Amino acid sequence: MFDIANLSIGVILLLLRVAVVFLLYFFLWQVVRVVSRELQAGGAAAPAPATPYGQLVVTSAGQTGIPVGKVFPLAPVTVIGRSTEAEISLNDTFLSSEHARLELRDSVWSLEDLSSTNGTFLNGFEVRASTEVHDGDVVRVGRVELKLVAP
């Protein structure tokens, strides 16, 4: 004899399986759509913030996760460090809370190490005293390299 109860349970289970597979593929399609949209938006370069003092541009981020090309606008006195109170706060364990200071004196930038543990470097050389920094020079603090772009 034909059992209608077993048939209806079998049909319901089949429909549930199909629905789960459909929802899984729908979810994956949404993820791919969002990721591709983010990648396309991330490829467009954001305009550099306007600042009369210049900016530091990330040229190498090490393992910090900071995107290469990220721009940090400069103030007349700019402290670089791990602290959230530093003008340029970088999430790098090799940085001291207040690692280095860039200061504009008579239209010339000056770089000073603030007694950091791992040192501050300008164009590959360790900064031991207040040192002049010029347009295009590379400052390394921790594992991050930043290029000075003067206005």
Side-chain angles (χ1 to χ4, degrees), residues 62-85:
Q63 300 170 342
T64 61
I66 301 168
V68 172
K70 181 171 174 68
V71 174
F72 294 101
L74 293 173
V77 176
T78 305
V79 175
I80 305 168
R82 193 174 58 208
S83 168
T84 55
E85 295 175 12

Side-chain angles (χ1 to χ4, degrees), residues 6-36:
N6 282 339
L7 179 64
S8 63
I9 290 175
V11 169
I12 290 172
L13 288 176
L14 177 66
L15 290 175
L16 286 174
R17 287 179 183 159
V18 169
V20 166
V21 169
F22 171 77
L23 288 173
L24 177 66
Y25 279 108
F26 180 72
F27 173 75
L28 291 174
W29 177 71
Q30 290 291 334
V31 168
V32 167
R33 208 179 81 174
V34 168
V35 168
S36 66

Side-chain angles (χ1 to χ4, degrees), residues 47-119:
T51 174
Y53 304 109
Q55 55 198 12
L56 288 175
V57 180
V58 176
T59 58
S60 175
Q63 300 170 342
T64 61
I66 301 168
V68 172
K70 181 171 174 68
V71 174
F72 294 101
L74 293 173
V77 176
T78 305
V79 175
I80 305 168
R82 193 174 58 208
S83 168
T84 55
E85 295 175 12
E87 283 80 13
I88 298 179
S89 179
L90 303 171
N91 186 18
D92 186 354
T93 57
F94 283 75
L95 285 178
S96 300
S97 58
E98 290 187 347
H99 195 94
R101 176 179 30 239
L102 263 173
E103 188 172 351
L104 187 60
R105 297 181 194 149
D106 300 324
S107 72
V108 176
W109 283 103
S110 176
L111 177 66
E112 181 181 356
D113 183 70
L114 299 176
S115 301
S116 65
T117 305
N118 294 317

